[in-house]
Amino acid sequence: MGDADEKDEWRPSNWKKLTPQQVNKLPRVQRGRYLAYEDPPKDVTDAQDETLRRIRESYKQRKFEQSKKQPEAKEREKQEILIGQLKAAEARNRLKAIKTKYSAHRHEETKHLIGSQPTALAAVKLECLLPAQEHIALPDGGPALRLDKLKRRRIEALLEDPSTYA
């Protein structure tokens, strides 16, 4: 069955068949090109078969050795994955804590700036000029008074209206 498959399969071959004496008379390059499309000699095919056999044998040997060590390797790999996940979670938590701390400090500084204004009108103007802050949970748990865009517009309109000062 293997021979029939090989005959049915197209393989490149030489158009002219030369005798061994004619092949030996060819220049080296032409001889190499000619021999590239000829069947290899018997000793070469035997060496190729022997090499393939040794490769398969060494592959089986390695696979057998790995099957012995496999439970230890799998356990070690699971532990490494778990350690990697724990380190990633710790890094995420540190980053989240730093962001929360930064936001809280910024909010406290903004509250201090607004609270230290000489008049309430100046405080409201400063609060309107400062960029809107996202709502975050403060570490002290105090309520955060923040103006959304609609409230900010209403306060700006009230501040610009001259009738409110009279």
Side-chain angles (χ1 to χ4, degrees):
M1 185 171 172
D3 294 335
D5 289 344
E6 289 178 12
K7 289 180 183 176
D8 293 342
E9 185 179 315
W10 181 83
R11 289 182 12 186
S13 63
N14 292 314
W15 288 54
K16 281 198 299 187
K17 296 296 179 189
L18 299 178
T19 63
Q21 292 82 17
Q22 291 172 328
V23 171
N24 287 336
K25 288 181 183 177
L26 291 174
R28 269 199 229 170
V29 175
Q30 286 181 349
R31 187 180 331 141
R33 289 180 184 158
Y34 180 84
L35 292 175
Y37 293 102
E38 290 295 312
D39 290 332
K42 176 95 171 102
D43 60 333
V44 173
T45 54
D46 290 343
Q48 287 175 341
D49 292 340
E50 178 64 23
T51 303
L52 288 174
R53 186 191 62 75
R54 283 184 294 168
I55 289 172
R56 287 187 194 113
E57 190 176 295
S58 67
Y59 176 75
K60 287 179 184 177
Q61 183 67 25
R62 278 195 215 126
K63 197 171 182 180
F64 179 71
E65 289 173 4
Q66 285 178 352
S67 67
K68 289 181 180 178
K69 297 179 182 178
Q70 199 167 16
E72 298 167 0
K74 281 185 178 180
E75 185 64 30
R76 184 173 49 239
E77 186 176 332
K78 284 180 184 178
Q79 288 176 351
E80 289 173 358
I81 289 172
L82 183 62
I83 289 171
Q85 289 173 345
L86 289 172
K87 286 183 178 181
E90 288 174 358
R92 278 193 303 271
N93 288 340
R94 280 195 307 269
L95 192 61
K96 186 177 179 181
I98 289 171
K99 285 180 181 180
T100 305
K101 190 176 180 181
Y102 171 77
S103 297
H105 284 302
R106 186 171 175 209
H107 176 71
E108 289 297 322
E109 188 175 339
T110 305
K111 277 177 42 177
H112 175 68
L113 283 173
I114 292 171
S116 65
Q117 295 300 311
T119 62
L121 185 61
V124 172
K125 281 183 181 179
L126 179 62
E127 190 172 1
C128 289
L129 291 174
L130 291 175
Q133 296 177 351
E134 67 278 352
H135 294 279
I136 59 166
L138 298 176
D140 61 353
L145 175 64
R146 292 190 177 82
L147 299 175
D148 59 357
K149 290 183 179 180
L150 181 63
K151 289 181 182 177
R152 183 175 288 211
R153 285 188 193 136
R154 287 185 65 206
I155 291 175
E156 287 175 359
L158 289 173
L159 289 174
E160 291 173 358
D161 188 17
S163 65
T164 58
Y165 300 119

